[in-house]
Amino acid sequence: MTHNPVRHKVRSDRPFFLGLGILGSVYIILIAAMLIADLSYMNTSSDDSLWSLFRTTFQSPEIRFAIKLSLISCTISTILSLWVAVPIGYLMSRYRFPGKGFLDSLLDIPIVLPPLVVGLSLLILFATGPGKWFEEQFLALTGSRITYAVPGVILAQFMVACAFAVRTMRATFDEITSRREQVALTLGCSRSQAFWMVSLPEARDGLVVAATLAWARALGEFGPILIFAGATRMKTEVMPTTVFLEMSVGNIEAAVAVSLLMILAAVIVLSMVRLFGSERYIR
């Protein structure tokens, strides 16, 4: 006696993918609409051409100062972030030690905290206790304060950007097998020689990703800078605070022009991250 197998009719996957596409497209369309709105506003807000508006905006001494300070401060904060992120990422990836879980959570605090809280905490730190003493020594040594000065801008950017660099470097070293490092140790290398000659060269792509992410995060930092360094024209003004200052005086065209420049920088940075394999290092 033979049994005929019951054949179930396979439903089409088209409704499933259609639903995913509709839900996902809402956010994608919103992002694209914001960018188009910025460009459209620049075209319709004045009789001048878009290029003329950009040229007029960036001829402003204040905005040129903000762009220059942003480029310098973001680069310095990125270099500082890498100097910190590489050793922390390596230690967190390679070794187990008491309190590692707590330290791991502590490193995420600048990421999850509201930016204004980071700035306020920095301001309180340097207004009381050891932070106040350090600022006095820094003032005596360099003639510049930290709070409400350029060093404050760099420190505020560093506090947040470094957290992203640390996460990237830890993921980078997690992806790198320790076998070659162990082989180098058996061949007579010290731990430091194995690190500099084996592990660090293998982490070069991750270094580039960490640097680009830290630089981009520093470029977009606003809250901590506003609280800790202020937004003084031609002194502590960077591109995000320029947008805020131009908006506060009703110069919407200049604010949008600077915003578009920041968007262009973000696109370039994201392209570099994709080029060097962000999917391997960012989790």
Side-chain angles (χ1 to χ4, degrees):
M1 184 176 181
T2 60
H3 297 280
N4 294 325
V6 179
R7 295 184 178 181
H8 297 281
K9 184 179 181 180
V10 179
R11 296 181 179 180
S12 173
D13 291 331
R14 186 175 300 174
F16 173 72
F17 289 111
L18 182 63
L20 293 180
I22 292 174
L23 293 175
S25 63
V26 173
Y27 186 60
I28 297 173
I29 292 173
L30 182 60
I31 295 175
M34 290 192 303
L35 301 179
I36 295 172
D38 287 338
L39 291 171
S40 300
Y41 182 85
M42 292 291 290
N43 280 324
T44 59
S45 61
S46 175
D47 294 333
D48 296 332
S49 65
L50 183 62
W51 172 249
S52 297
L53 288 172
F54 272 108
R55 185 175 57 187
T56 303
T57 299
F58 296 126
Q59 283 177 347
S60 168
E62 292 83 4
I63 293 179
R64 291 170 66 179
F65 176 87
I67 294 173
K68 180 180 178 181
L69 180 57
S70 293
L71 295 176
I72 295 174
S73 62
C74 290
T75 302
I76 295 175
S77 63
T78 298
I79 294 172
L80 295 176
S81 297
L82 291 180
W83 276 103
V84 173
V86 170
I88 292 179
Y90 180 77
L91 291 174
M92 294 294 291
S93 175
R94 288 290 189 264
Y95 300 101
R96 297 181 180 274
F97 50 87
K100 182 179 179 180
F102 172 77
L103 179 60
D104 192 32
S105 301
L106 190 67
L107 291 170
D108 280 336
I109 287 180
I111 298 177
V112 300
L113 274 182
L116 290 176
V117 175
V118 176
L120 179 61
S121 300
L122 282 173
L123 188 61
I124 294 174
L125 172 64
F126 282 88
T128 58
K132 184 177 181 180
W133 176 86
F134 180 82
E135 180 163 24
E136 291 173 351
Q137 301 303 312
F138 187 84
L139 178 62
L141 182 64
T142 64
S144 172
R145 298 180 60 87
I146 296 177
T147 56
Y148 300 109
V150 172
V153 173
I154 296 172
L155 182 57
Q157 292 174 337
F158 165 78
M159 283 301 300
V160 180
C162 186
F164 289 88
V166 167
R167 286 294 150 207
T168 305
M169 290 312 304
R170 180 178 179 180
T172 298
F173 287 116
D174 284 342
E175 289 288 333
I176 298 174
T177 178
S178 61
R179 183 177 301 174
R180 294 183 181 179
E181 198 172 346
Q182 296 297 327
V183 170
L185 293 175
T186 60
L187 294 176
C189 289
S190 64
R191 180 67 65 176
S192 63
Q193 288 175 324
F195 170 77
W196 288 105
M197 298 173 63
V198 179
S199 298
L200 193 60
E202 290 189 2
R204 60 184 179 275
D205 287 352
L207 278 168
V208 175
V209 173
T212 52
L213 286 177
W215 195 90
R217 194 65 186 87
L219 180 67
E221 205 55 58
F222 172 72
I225 295 176
L226 183 65
I227 298 297
F228 185 57
T232 307
R233 287 284 196 188
M234 304 294 288
K235 185 179 178 181
T236 59
E237 182 183 6
V238 289
M239 292 172 68
T241 53
T242 291
V243 175
F244 170 75
L245 291 173
E246 296 296 341
M247 287 285 295
S248 65
V249 298
N251 192 358
I252 310 298
E253 291 82 3
V256 174
V258 176
S259 299
L260 289 174
L261 182 61
M262 295 177 64
I263 291 172
L264 177 61
V267 170
I268 294 174
V269 167
L270 290 174
S271 299
M272 291 183 63
V273 172
R274 295 292 183 270
L275 178 64
F276 286 94
S278 64
E279 295 180 358
R280 293 172 53 196
Y281 302 122
I282 305 171
R283 296 178 176 179

